[in-house]
Amino acid sequence: MKLQRMNRRALTLGALAVSGALALTACGSDDTGGGTDATGSATTNANSTIKCDDAKGQLLADGSSAQKNAIDAWVKNFTAACTGVQINYKGGGSGAGVTAFTQGTVAFAGSDSALKPEEVTESKSVCTGGTAIDLPAVGGAIALAYNLPGVDNLVLDAPTLAKIFDSKIKNWDDAAIKALNPDATLPSTKIQPFHRSEESGTTDNLTKYLIATTPENWKYEGGKAWQAEGGQAASGSSGIAAGVKQTEGAIGYMEQSYAKELSTVAIDTGASAPVKPTSDGATKAIAAAQVVGTGNDYSLKLDYKTTADGAYPITLVTYEIICDKGNKADTLPATKAFLRYITSEEGQGILSGIDYAPIPADIIAKVRTTVESLA
């Protein structure tokens, strides 16, 4: 597909716009939804909707590194309002988060993949009289970032990506890459693909995309653990980003907010123009997601094969994993208050400004109701 067909017209959030969202920014900005006092400390916006109730004490959480930048922004705002609460979110990866939750060592976990049936069963040992549920809180694009000096606006498609990460395409001047980038001067530099070293929901979503779109070129079963041979491993989206930045010829996958200082691939989906990873593009793709969870579980099925104009196909949704019933009494008030904030219009309203995508309005409204029912 010709590069000249690419365009940078602004996309609209359309039906996914979170009505009434406040114009807030965080993470990389000093704006916490309020301002700063004379000492430079964060202050809370007088119009903030954050409700602390009886929240106090320390919350321990772990999981998705993809949502870490969003969590950091949310924690900054929440703890400025609720000064009696401390939140420690480790961000050690989705696999680590689910394990910590089912072992009862964290109040909640973040995962870019919905719980497996066996994990739900295992959770019953820590959710007294209840079970773990998936509550979607934040979406985002999985960016393919690369380090190739002199090459801008690189375009790749699913078959080419699969062959790159499976070490079948080894150099940047390969014929398949040239065909997608006829106007680029591609060097013979060796490709250095980076993948996650730990179990990761970002890995799970990338491989689901490859399995859905090019199964003939990606014959692995998928999941949180990386299965293809070759390449270099790094921990977390931050580790992948650092590896790509430091290695000429590198390419790696990461949540979009980690790719700010890197060049990113535009994906040829078969739409009228290749699609770059953006919050709007992820939002448009997530709009087609279907709720497949039952009861108070809102796990989603994403459409990785979308060809809609402007829809970025390699997306993820991060779920907050929590007990529907049987949460620990000493952490429930703070957990509930924090989840209430991040799923509120105010909490969702900061996401697009920090390179994330808000959850569709109809789904997040149901999640808010579930948060209020947590016990």
Side-chain angles (χ1 to χ4, degrees), residues 57-63 68 71-72 75 78-79 85-92 105-109 338:
Q58 185 179 52
L59 284 185
L60 298 179
D62 195 2
K68 181 68 165 58
I71 288 283
D72 287 348
V75 167
F78 181 80
T79 55
V85 181
Q86 291 182 325
I87 301 176
N88 181 0
Y89 182 81
K90 186 176 180 181
T105 61
V106 294
F108 69 92
F338 183 63

Side-chain angles (χ1 to χ4, degrees), residues 211-236:
I211 291 168
T213 55
T214 185
E216 68 277 14
N217 292 301
W218 195 260
K219 299 184 181 296
Y220 304 97
E221 64 181 13
K224 292 188 182 76
W226 185 257
Q227 296 166 342
E229 296 182 1
Q232 300 186 51
S235 177

Side-chain angles (χ1 to χ4, degrees), residues 99-350:
T99 297
F101 183 82
T102 56
Q103 291 177 346
T105 61
V106 294
F108 69 92
S111 177
D112 306 323
S113 300
L115 292 166
K116 297 177 181 178
E118 59 268 28
E119 292 169 337
V120 173
T121 299
E122 192 175 356
S123 75
K124 294 180 181 181
S125 64
V126 295
C127 299
T128 307
T131 187
I133 54 175
D134 301 285
L135 299 181
V138 57
I142 299 174
L144 280 302
Y146 65 96
N147 182 343
L148 207 56
V151 179
D152 300 318
N153 299 320
L154 184 71
V155 176
L156 297 175
D157 59 10
T160 308
L161 279 171
K163 293 173 185 176
I164 286 173
F165 280 101
D166 200 21
S167 300
K168 298 291 174 51
I169 292 179
K170 300 180 183 296
N171 298 90
W172 281 109
D173 61 351
D174 186 271
I177 302 177
K178 283 184 174 180
L180 291 162
N181 299 272
D183 298 328
T185 301
L186 296 165
S188 61
T189 307
K190 181 181 177 181
I191 298 175
Q192 304 278 0
F194 277 79
H195 60 265
R196 293 284 285 275
S197 58
E198 79 284 16
E199 289 197 352
S200 160
T202 309
T203 294
D204 190 20
N205 283 278
L206 172 67
T207 54
K208 281 179 179 176
Y209 163 75
L210 296 174
I211 291 168
T213 55
T214 185
E216 68 277 14
N217 292 301
W218 195 260
K219 299 184 181 296
Y220 304 97
E221 64 181 13
K224 292 188 182 76
W226 185 257
Q227 296 166 342
E229 296 182 1
Q232 300 186 51
S235 177
S237 284
S238 59
I240 297 284
V244 171
K245 187 175 183 179
Q246 296 165 7
T247 309
E248 187 169 336
I251 184 171
Y253 58 93
M254 64 202 71
E255 193 280 324
Q256 179 196 344
S257 69
Y258 290 87
K260 287 180 179 292
E261 299 178 357
L262 300 170
S263 298
T264 56
V265 172
I267 305 298
D268 183 348
T269 65
S272 64
V275 189
K276 280 271 197 178
T278 64
S279 297
D280 287 355
T283 298
K284 189 168 186 178
I286 295 171
Q290 296 179 330
V291 177
V292 293
T294 58
N296 285 329
D297 185 281
Y298 289 97
S299 55
L300 304 174
K301 181 179 180 181
L302 299 173
D303 180 12
Y304 299 101
K305 298 172 72 174
T306 180
T307 59
D309 283 350
Y312 186 77
I314 316 176
T315 57
L316 58 78
V317 168
T318 301
Y319 303 95
E320 310 311 332
I321 309 298
I322 186 73
C323 298
D324 60 354
K325 296 178 182 178
N327 291 285
K328 294 178 181 178
D330 58 338
T331 57
L332 179 59
T335 303
K336 200 167 177 176
F338 183 63
L339 295 181
R340 178 187 295 124
Y341 162 61
I342 71 175
T343 60
S344 70
E345 290 184 354
E346 181 176 346
Q348 292 287 295
I350 75 171

